[in-house]
Each structure stands twice: as C-alpha cells, then as structure tokens.
Amino acid sequence: MTVLDDIIAGVREDLEERRRAVSLDELKDRVSSVSPARDAVSALRGPDRDTVEIIAEVKRASPSAGDLNGIPEPATLAHEYEAGGAAAISVLTESRRFKGSLEDLDAVRSEVSIPILRKDFTIDPYMIWEARAHGADLVLLIVAALSDQELHEYLELTHRLGMNAIVEAHTADEIERAVEAGANIVGVNVRNLKTLETDKTHFASLASHLPEGPVIIAESGVAEPSDVADYGRQGAEVVLVGEALVRHSDPRDAVGEFKNQGRKARAAYWEEKDARDGR
C-alpha cells in the first residue's frame, strides 16, 4: 500500500463518521444559505503576466515533516498571509496525517476575504458539498486518486456550486487528463504522493506539457524565495507554499518576499519567451 492509499483509507473512514453525523440533505440546506463562492481563477491570475501569486497554507503537520507549528489561532495566521499579499489561503482539513479540521476552515473563512482552498483528499461528492457549506471557494482534486469519470463528475459538481478546483497532476499523462476533464486550474505537485519524495526539478521536466489557458500552479518543494523564483522562471503562475510560511517568524513579510522574487523571475520568463517567439 502506498502512502496515498493509506491516507485515502483514513479519509474514507473519517468521511463515513461525518456523514453519519450530518446528512447530505443537511449540507445542501447549509449551502443554500452560504455566501457565493469567490472567484478563485481571477484571484490567482493576478493583475498582470509578470505576477507570481502565492497560495499560503495553514498546515499543522504533514506525513513527511511531522508537526510543523501549533498554530493556536489559524485565523491570525491567515490574516498575516492576506496582509502580506497572498492570493488565496489553503487550509488542511485532513485530520490523521495533517492534524487539520473543518473548524480550522471555519476560523479562516471568518477572518479573510480572499478565496480559500479546502485542501483534503476529495474522494466523494459529499466532501465537495461539505467544503461549500463551510465557505470554501476551492477544492483539491488529485488525478492519481480519481478515475476519469469521477474527475469529470466531481469537477462538474464543483463548478455547479460556483467553486473551482485545483486539479493536481504529477505526470504528463495526468496533466492531459486534467485538461480533458475541463480543469480551469492545474496544479503540478513535485512531491510523489506514493513515496513522499520531493524533486523540485520535476516541474521543469513537465514544462513542455503545461497547457495554455488553465492557471498553472507549482506545489511543494518551497523552502526559500529562490524556489518561488525557479518555479516562476519555469512557467508557474502561482506557487503554493506551506511549511516555509508556517515555520517563518514573520509570515506576512515572507509572502511579500516570495511574491517579489517570483515577479522578477516571471518577467525574465516572458522576456525569454517573447524573444523565442520573435516578438
């Protein structure tokens, strides 16, 4: 059994417990009274083509790094992220490996005005309704964890509820599957979820497969601003940053520095691309 398989088995058990406590009909009633989802695609596009936006993560722990930070007040951390210029906030809600919760999502939603990603291993439509009921604007759909039919159905439901999905890929084939499913946002994760190994060069190796149109996100492997710059130079429009921000003594300042370095690299990316295209 891979790490991904093990995580999903736990997610499935926890899901059934929540489903017994709150029915799907109850969730749908809650959704009807929740404010409309925020436009995550526009937020992640940024004001111009040189921008590298940051999705800043509220993350208590991970299978690879263990406990990261007590985060006594998720809302306070999210406020600092927003003040630093984050385009969106990612909130881990998986409890067994990441020690997150829907309560963390609720706390962050009450504090910030930017889009929020409910970052969990979505394996059932119930979880999409659940995310919207708790005010999420984005969900995570991992191509490796879903069949093509599930991917299409989950993405269609996400869009029907006014939300967007980060459709996460790890290979060229998975990028193609994400695009065929109709993804508006494609995330390339350089962490192998079957082994938890991280290879930052993996994003560049997939650069030629990145599609035109969807927002492109680089995920994992960020330790310092130069990593954001590398991703921006390789074609990323957005970088998701977790551990480096959670552990930082000044997360507001760190978000600003990540964006600054990303902007410089993104400008160089377009200069080189325009030169190749003869513009």
Side-chain angles (χ1 to χ4, degrees):
M1 177 179 285
T2 68
V3 175
L4 179 60
D5 292 334
D6 186 48
I7 291 174
I8 288 178
V11 168
R12 198 174 300 281
E13 290 181 14
D14 294 340
L15 166 62
E16 292 310 313
E17 184 175 331
R18 295 197 306 278
R19 203 197 306 263
R20 286 192 292 270
V22 180
S23 71
L24 179 58
D25 286 341
E26 289 177 90
L27 283 181
K28 290 181 178 181
D29 286 341
R30 293 183 188 181
V31 167
S32 66
S33 62
V34 173
S35 298
R38 291 156 177 80
D39 183 356
V41 171
S42 294
L44 296 176
R45 284 287 183 201
D48 58 60
R49 70 177 193 172
D50 289 347
T51 303
V52 173
E53 294 291 357
I54 299 296
I55 300 176
E57 197 153 75
V58 175
K59 181 178 184 179
R60 296 181 182 275
S62 76
S64 59
D67 289 350
L68 299 177
N69 190 318
I71 312 182
E73 298 292 341
T76 300
L77 179 59
H79 173 81
E80 292 299 295
Y81 287 159
E82 183 176 26
I89 308 293
S90 169
V91 182
L92 266 297
T93 62
E94 196 279 336
S95 61
R96 299 189 182 208
R97 297 294 191 102
F98 296 89
K99 299 188 177 179
S101 68
L102 287 166
E103 288 74 23
D104 285 348
L105 182 64
D106 292 336
V108 172
R109 176 74 288 162
S110 69
E111 180 64 27
V112 304
S113 60
I114 56 179
I116 293 178
L117 163 67
R118 188 254 179 116
K119 194 176 182 190
D120 208 323
F121 296 75
T122 305
I123 56 169
D124 190 279
Y126 180 96
M127 297 179 71
I128 300 173
W129 284 99
E130 191 176 48
R132 185 79 280 270
H134 286 267
D137 310 290
L138 288 152
V139 294
L140 179 68
L141 301 179
I142 300 175
V143 176
L146 302 171
S147 68
D148 285 342
Q149 180 176 344
E150 288 171 330
L151 188 57
H152 280 82
E153 290 178 356
Y154 293 5
L155 194 55
E156 189 278 330
L157 174 59
T158 300
H159 292 162
R160 180 153 50 89
L161 293 178
M163 295 189 293
N164 274 285
I166 296 178
V167 183
E168 181 177 289
H170 300 78
T171 66
D173 176 66
E174 289 177 5
I175 291 174
E176 183 176 346
R177 288 178 60 200
V179 173
E180 289 179 351
N184 294 322
I185 307 170
V186 175
V188 176
N189 196 339
V190 303
R191 184 183 301 282
N192 185 325
L193 292 182
K194 296 180 180 179
T195 65
L196 297 185
E197 295 177 351
T198 300
D199 178 5
K200 287 184 283 191
T201 67
H202 189 55
F203 187 89
S205 73
L206 293 174
S208 64
H209 299 278
L210 297 178
E212 297 283 344
V215 176
I216 302 299
I217 301 177
E219 304 175 49
S220 300
V222 175
E224 53 193 30
S226 62
D227 295 319
V228 175
D230 287 343
Y231 285 141
R233 197 175 296 111
Q234 294 158 6
E237 299 169 80
V238 183
V239 179
L240 190 150
V241 188
E243 182 178 344
L245 286 175
V246 172
R247 293 186 185 277
H248 203 283
S249 60
D250 188 345
R252 179 188 300 202
D253 181 71
V255 170
E257 181 59 20
F258 285 153
K259 289 190 66 172
N260 183 49
Q261 292 300 313
R263 185 174 186 84
K264 293 177 182 178
R266 188 70 175 165
Y269 164 83
W270 281 113
E271 184 177 346
E272 293 172 5
K273 189 175 189 304
D274 288 346
R276 289 196 305 269
D277 295 343
R279 294 177 184 172

